């Protein structure tokens, strides 16, 4: 146990972590261009927030939350998603008092007690955005467009944007009734979960993964067919705005999403080839959520994109991300005095802004040069007692193995010239 991480979690090691940094930086840059500001909410919240926010009949709340009583007997949950916490922070910090809409983004770990498999973990990371305070259809298109823009900048292929409307509470009520009527005589054939949720949340039967439920719901009434004229118009306008910015989409009447808060636009960005977990990004509008969490009626919309799934996709499509920076220089030393001098030189050069690696194990010169090769440095400084006595060091060009003697005072200038010119 001591050397095993909990099931469904991952260590992100050097070599891999640079990819994460790159993806996070790109997310921050894209958000900046679209005028979204970062928000960081706690990793845990009061359980009540998710019961209300995400919905009591969702998979997340029914079986996936990491909930516990803390030492003060408070019911706490590790956040399974970022929308409800962002809504809570919007209300608690009165962000609604600022000019609207409020446009936020977040990047961070989420926790769900899910059955782990490729692309599905118990601790995973989301990059998400949320917009509060506008029901304008262009905002729906902007949110979908931002996700596509981010993914396109990474050069991903074969992405599919699926959209649907789940309507307003009135449409949903109508749709729920027609679904209950439709499934009434098929109830016994539905899977156990769907049979159980027919009365409470029949909408979820439409995205059940069981082949039989899928077959049974083939001709079920769609959310679009139950949508009121106003919701139909909104959906139509979203499509017009999407077309305006060149986003190709498919209307998927079965797309209903697994969280209860959605109203109107729901969308997912899917990619083939990463196993069963093909949803890279999911989101939609949630015009009732802020009121449900205790605020004034305020429209909202957003998405979250799974970072692990994104990395799997990048690997699967063999898209390389920029490599991490190699050190500018390696310092090798021979003898105790030279080791001391190399220690000081390394720190002086680091303070000047160079990335410096050195020997820490008093290895032989041959072994140190091998280490330098492993770091893929262009140059190694070799400090020997004889050269040091004369205030000099050897500079070795690792590619050609040539060595020249330079004085310690010239190193900085020399490196600056050579590295700038990328010689
Ligand atoms: P979600 O569909 O539950 O939506 O999750 C969004 C994305 O997070 C998924 O498409 C997937 O890439 C990733 N994801 C979810 N669960 C896991 C898991 N167990 N392991 C790895 N990745 C996972 C939400 O969370 C909503 N809060 C999205 C949203 C924001 N809607 C409006 N605003």
């Amino acid at each position: 146990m001591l050397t095993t991480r909990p099931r469904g979690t991952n260590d992100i090691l050097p070599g891999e972590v640079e990819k994460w940094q790159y993806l996070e930086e790109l997310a921050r840059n894209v958000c900046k261009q679209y005028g979204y500001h970062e928000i960081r909410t706690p990793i845990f919240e009061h359980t009540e927030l998710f019961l209300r926010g995400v919905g009591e009949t969702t998979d997340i709340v029914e079986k996936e939350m990491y909930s516990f009583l803390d030492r003060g007997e408070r019911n706490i949950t590790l956040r399974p998603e970022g929308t409800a916490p962002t809504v809570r922070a919007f209300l608690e910090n009165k962000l609604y008092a600022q000019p609207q809409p409020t446009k936020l983004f977040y990047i961070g770990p989420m926790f769900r007690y899910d059955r782990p498999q490729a692309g599905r973990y118990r601790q995973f990371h989301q990059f998400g955005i949320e917009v509060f305070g506008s029901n304008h259809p262009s905002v729906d298109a902007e949110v979908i467009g931002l996700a596509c823009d981010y993914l396109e900048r990474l050069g991903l292929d074969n992405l599919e944007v699926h959209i649907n409307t789940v309507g307003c509470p009135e449409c949903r009520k109508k749709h729920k009734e027609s679904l209950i009527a439709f499934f009434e005589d098929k109830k016994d054939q539905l899977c156990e979960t769907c049979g159980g949720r027919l009365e409470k949340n029949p909408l979820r039967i439409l995205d059940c993964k069981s082949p039989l439920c899928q077959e049974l719901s083939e001709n079920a009434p769609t959310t679009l067919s139950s949508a009121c004229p106003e919701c139909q118009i909104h959906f139509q306008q979203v499509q017009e705005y999407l077309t305006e910015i060149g986003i190709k989409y498919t209307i998927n009447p079965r797309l209903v999403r697994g969280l209860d808060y959605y109203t109107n636009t729901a969308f997912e960005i899917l990619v083939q080839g990463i196993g069963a977990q093909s949803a890279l990004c999911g989101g939609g509008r949630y015009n009732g959520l802020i009121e449900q969490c205790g605020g004034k009626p305020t429209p909202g919309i957003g998405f979250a994109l799974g970072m692990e799934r994104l990395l799997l996709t990048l690997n699967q499509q063999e898209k390389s991300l920029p490599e991490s920076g190699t050190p500018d220089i390696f310092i090798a030393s021979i003898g105790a005095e030279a080791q001391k001098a190399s220690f000081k030189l390394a720190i002086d050069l680091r303070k000047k802004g160079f990335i410096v690696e050195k020997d820490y194990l008093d290895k032989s010169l041959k072994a140190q040069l091998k280490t330098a090769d492993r770091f893929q440095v262009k140059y190694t400084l070799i400090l020997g007692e004889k050269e040091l006595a004369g205030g000099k060091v050897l500079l070795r060009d690792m590619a050609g193995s040539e060595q020249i003697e330079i004085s310690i005072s010239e190193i900085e200038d020399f490196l600056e010239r050579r590295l700038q010119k990328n010689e």
Side-chain angles (χ1 to χ4, degrees):
M1 285 297 267
L2 276 181
T3 53
T4 316
R5 57 180 189 266
R7 196 163 130 77
T9 65
N10 291 299
D11 296 312
I12 306 171
L13 301 176
E16 188 67 13
V17 84
E18 291 79 4
K19 295 182 187 165
W20 285 78
Q21 288 164 350
Y22 179 82
L23 294 179
E24 289 165 4
E25 194 185 322
L26 183 66
R28 290 198 167 88
N29 284 340
V30 172
C31 284
K32 200 170 168 183
Q33 288 171 345
Y34 282 77
Y36 289 69
H37 299 277
E38 183 166 358
I39 183 164
R40 300 187 188 192
T41 61
I43 299 290
F44 57 85
E45 296 275 355
H46 293 293
T47 300
E48 185 64 26
L49 176 66
F50 301 111
L51 299 186
R52 285 261 208 113
V54 174
E56 308 223 15
T57 59
T58 58
D59 284 351
I60 292 183
V61 169
E62 277 183 348
K63 45 191 186 197
E64 293 174 2
M65 293 209 301
Y66 277 93
S67 300
F68 56 94
L69 282 184
D70 73 5
R71 287 169 192 271
E73 305 273 301
R74 296 173 197 90
N75 209 327
I76 296 293
T77 293
L78 300 185
R79 62 180 187 193
E81 60 101 50
T83 309
T86 308
V87 166
R88 198 256 323 124
F90 172 76
L91 294 173
E92 185 167 353
N93 299 288
K94 301 188 174 52
L95 300 186
Y96 48 78
Q98 295 172 10
Q100 295 299 298
T102 299
K103 304 200 298 183
L104 302 166
F105 78 93
Y106 48 86
I107 305 173
M110 307 290 161
F111 306 85
R112 296 185 194 175
Y113 193 80
D114 226 327
R115 207 155 43 83
Q117 53 179 274
R120 198 202 274 166
Y121 311 97
R122 290 184 175 167
Q123 176 177 323
F124 59 98
H125 297 75
Q126 286 184 341
F127 153 41
I129 73 169
E130 312 291 349
V131 185
F132 304 136
S134 169
N135 190 37
H136 200 279
S138 68
V139 177
D140 305 42
E142 179 178 290
V143 166
I144 298 172
L146 192 155
C148 293
D149 189 353
Y150 177 66
L151 295 169
E152 274 162 21
R153 288 191 207 201
L154 291 165
L156 289 177
D157 310 312
N158 302 327
L159 298 177
E160 282 178 32
V161 180
H162 285 202
I163 62 169
N164 190 21
T165 178
V166 295
C168 63
E170 278 311 304
C171 315
R172 281 180 79 145
K173 207 167 121 205
K174 204 170 121 199
H175 187 229
K176 187 175 166 183
E177 282 162 12
S178 52
L179 280 178
I180 294 175
F182 177 83
F183 285 113
E184 195 74 85
D185 58 341
K186 305 175 184 65
K187 193 173 173 180
D188 299 340
Q189 298 171 63
L190 291 169
C191 75
E192 208 183 301
T193 325
C194 286
R197 64 186 169 199
L198 177 60
E199 302 296 325
K200 278 191 286 177
N201 197 352
L203 198 65
R204 295 299 316 284
I205 302 173
L206 300 182
D207 76 346
C208 176
K209 301 288 173 283
S210 135
L212 190 58
C213 290
Q214 288 198 355
E215 199 185 308
L216 289 172
S217 60
E218 200 127 280
N219 297 315
T222 62
T223 45
L224 189 55
S225 63
S226 305
C228 65
E230 210 178 308
C231 289
Q232 301 240 15
I233 291 170
H234 183 89
F235 192 47
Q236 188 56 42
Q237 288 172 334
V238 172
Q239 292 173 57
E240 284 164 19
Y241 275 104
L242 284 175
T243 305
E244 197 63 30
I245 54 171
I247 291 182
K248 296 201 174 59
Y249 57 85
T250 305
I251 297 175
N252 177 355
R254 299 178 78 89
L255 176 68
V256 291
R257 309 268 306 130
L259 299 90
D260 277 355
Y261 47 60
Y262 292 108
T263 58
N264 301 92
T265 315
F267 72 96
E268 276 180 354
I269 303 180
L270 308 171
V271 67
Q272 301 310 320
I274 54 163
Q277 309 306 316
S278 61
L280 211 52
C281 172
R285 208 165 247 299
Y286 43 84
N287 287 349
L289 180 60
I290 294 173
E291 193 178 2
Q292 213 166 304
C293 292
K296 291 212 179 87
T298 310
I301 180 167
F303 72 69
L305 201 151
M307 300 301 271
E308 283 81 0
R309 288 188 197 172
L310 177 56
L311 277 157
L312 278 175
T313 310
L314 286 162
N315 275 346
Q316 202 266 334
Q317 297 194 3
E318 295 177 2
K319 306 284 177 204
S320 58
L321 297 178
E323 296 276 311
S324 62
T326 48
D328 295 322
I329 190 113
F330 185 87
I331 306 182
S333 59
I334 314 156
E337 276 309 303
Q339 173 68 277
K340 215 183 218 168
S342 79
F343 177 69
K344 179 165 182 327
L345 182 58
I347 288 178
D348 285 348
L349 289 174
R350 286 169 183 153
K351 285 183 181 168
K352 297 266 156 54
F354 296 104
I355 309 172
V356 182
E357 266 302 343
K358 66 182 289 294
D359 166 70
Y360 295 97
L361 300 170
D362 287 334
K363 286 190 192 162
S364 70
L365 180 61
K366 193 170 159 208
Q368 290 185 52
L369 290 177
K370 228 179 182 172
T371 313
D373 263 337
R374 210 163 37 80
F375 279 118
Q376 297 179 320
V377 289
K378 285 212 173 94
Y379 299 103
T380 295
L381 288 174
I382 304 172
L383 276 63
E385 317 247 302
K386 191 178 98 225
E387 290 85 5
L388 272 180
K392 308 241 174 210
V393 298
L394 290 175
L395 183 109
R396 183 183 175 94
D397 181 336
M398 298 303 283
S401 303
E402 297 145 13
Q403 293 185 174
I404 54 164
E405 212 179 57
I406 61 169
S407 68
I408 295 184
S409 56
E410 283 170 2
I411 296 173
E412 196 190 322
D413 257 12
F414 182 89
L415 284 181
E416 219 141 62
R417 265 184 285 125
R418 286 287 168 110
L419 295 171
Q420 246 173 30
K421 277 196 256 159
N422 217 2
E423 281 178 36

